[in-house]
Amino acid sequence: MTTEEKLQNFYNHSIESAHSEAERLIEDHQAALDQIFSEHQATKQRQAAAELAAEKEKLKRENNKVLSTEQLQIKRTHSLKNMELKNQLFAEVEEKLLAFKKTPEYENWLCQKIDAALKFAQEQQVEFFLDSSDNDMLEPLAKKTGVSIHISAEHITGGIRAVLPERHILIDNSFAAMLKEERESFIFEGGHVHE
């Protein structure tokens, strides 16, 4: 083998060795790049999932806030409508009570309340009070029941109040008191079950 052939052989061997070393370095570098790329992809997917979850939670909170505001508005509207209907209902009831005052049954009802108060008092002193609008009934009721009746200083709409001063008891059968009590305890129970 000549020197030239040896040199050529050495050159070829060096080139092959350099090529294989370069290929190995390229493969190592490619593997490292693939590893970095796959880690980058995983990181981005985690970030995207976290952002998506955060956005979903934000949208859910916003939706709940809007829903809560709507529910509050509906409750306010419902409450206002209930109050309006309640006022209308009690205005009608008061009209019916005023109409009842013009009937003979009203005088009978007053007599029954006076009798009940007298039975409760058991021989103790009882003072009876009517509303000023019932002034014309003072004498007929006094004759019918045999008791003294006065006009109330307060407006009681109708009905009668009995006071037992010795026992500090008020028997309030006034329309004003009955209406107030009913108004305070009245609850609308709407819906198809109560219709």
Side-chain angles (χ1 to χ4, degrees), residues 178-191:
M178 288 187 274
L179 279 171
K180 182 182 177 195
E181 184 180 324
E182 282 302 315
R183 181 180 282 276
E184 288 172 358
S185 65
F186 184 80
I187 297 173
F188 271 110
E189 294 184 5

Side-chain angles (χ1 to χ4, degrees), residues 2 6 32 34 38 42 45 49 61-62 68 103 114-115 121 125 145 155 170 175 178 187 189:
T2 65
K6 285 182 182 177
D34 288 345
S38 118
Q45 285 175 347
R61 279 194 309 271
E62 287 175 3
S68 177
T103 65
I114 291 170
D115 289 341
Q125 179 190 356
T145 60
H155 177 66
L170 168 67
F175 289 171
M178 288 187 274
I187 297 173
E189 294 184 5

Side-chain angles (χ1 to χ4, degrees), residues 126-189:
V126 183
E127 297 174 6
F128 292 97
F129 297 91
L130 285 178
D131 188 64
S132 59
S133 64
D134 292 331
N135 193 24
D136 59 328
M137 300 186 82
L138 280 176
E139 287 184 39
L141 276 176
K143 285 180 185 174
K144 209 172 196 182
T145 60
V147 296
S148 174
I149 303 173
H150 311 284
I151 296 296
S152 174
E154 287 181 58
H155 177 66
I156 60 173
T157 309
I160 194 160
R161 283 184 173 166
V163 176
L164 284 74
E166 294 170 15
R167 292 167 58 186
H168 302 290
I169 294 176
L170 168 67
I171 302 171
D172 198 346
N173 288 310
S174 67
F175 289 171
M178 288 187 274
L179 279 171
K180 182 182 177 195
E181 184 180 324
E182 282 302 315
R183 181 180 282 276
E184 288 172 358
S185 65
F186 184 80
I187 297 173
F188 271 110
E189 294 184 5

Side-chain angles (χ1 to χ4, degrees), residues 6-7 16 41 46 56 110 156 192:
K6 285 182 182 177
L7 278 174
E16 279 180 31
Q41 272 186 322
R46 281 193 304 274
K56 279 182 180 178
L110 290 172
I156 60 173
H192 70 280

Side-chain angles (χ1 to χ4, degrees), residues 19-194:
H19 275 300
S20 43
E21 182 64 22
E23 281 181 30
R24 187 186 62 75
L25 286 173
I26 289 171
E27 286 174 6
D28 287 349
H29 188 64
Q30 186 63 46
L33 287 176
D34 288 345
Q35 178 66 27
I36 290 170
F37 180 68
S38 118
E39 288 173 3
H40 179 72
Q41 272 186 322
T43 301
K44 287 298 178 186
Q45 285 175 347
R46 281 193 304 274
Q47 285 176 346
E51 286 175 16
L52 183 63
E55 192 63 29
K56 279 182 180 178
E57 192 59 35
K58 178 184 168 192
L59 289 173
K60 198 183 288 184
R61 279 194 309 271
E62 287 175 3
N63 190 36
N64 286 342
K65 185 179 176 183
V66 168
L67 184 63
S68 177
T69 303
E70 252 336 282
Q71 285 176 332
L72 190 60
Q73 184 60 37
I74 289 169
K75 283 181 182 177
R76 281 188 191 131
T77 305
H78 184 261
S79 179
L80 288 173
K81 191 62 177 175
N82 269 354
M83 188 57 68
E84 180 186 326
L85 290 173
K86 185 176 180 178
N87 289 338
Q88 184 180 353
L89 175 68
F90 277 92
E92 289 177 21
V93 168
E94 195 165 349
E95 284 176 28
K96 291 196 182 281
L97 285 173
L98 294 175
F100 173 66
K101 285 176 63 169
K102 296 174 185 170
T103 65
E105 287 82 16
Y106 178 58
E107 187 177 331
N108 294 335
W109 183 80
L110 290 172
C111 289
Q112 289 172 2
K113 295 303 173 187
I114 291 170
D115 289 341
L118 290 171
K119 285 178 187 169
F120 178 79
Q122 298 175 351
E123 304 296 325
Q124 290 183 344
Q125 179 190 356
V126 183
E127 297 174 6
F128 292 97
F129 297 91
L130 285 178
D131 188 64
S132 59
S133 64
D134 292 331
N135 193 24
D136 59 328
M137 300 186 82
L138 280 176
E139 287 184 39
L141 276 176
K143 285 180 185 174
K144 209 172 196 182
T145 60
V147 296
S148 174
I149 303 173
H150 311 284
I151 296 296
S152 174
E154 287 181 58
H155 177 66
I156 60 173
T157 309
I160 194 160
R161 283 184 173 166
V163 176
L164 284 74
E166 294 170 15
R167 292 167 58 186
H168 302 290
I169 294 176
L170 168 67
I171 302 171
D172 198 346
N173 288 310
S174 67
F175 289 171
M178 288 187 274
L179 279 171
K180 182 182 177 195
E181 184 180 324
E182 282 302 315
R183 181 180 282 276
E184 288 172 358
S185 65
F186 184 80
I187 297 173
F188 271 110
E189 294 184 5
H192 70 280
V193 173
H194 299 285

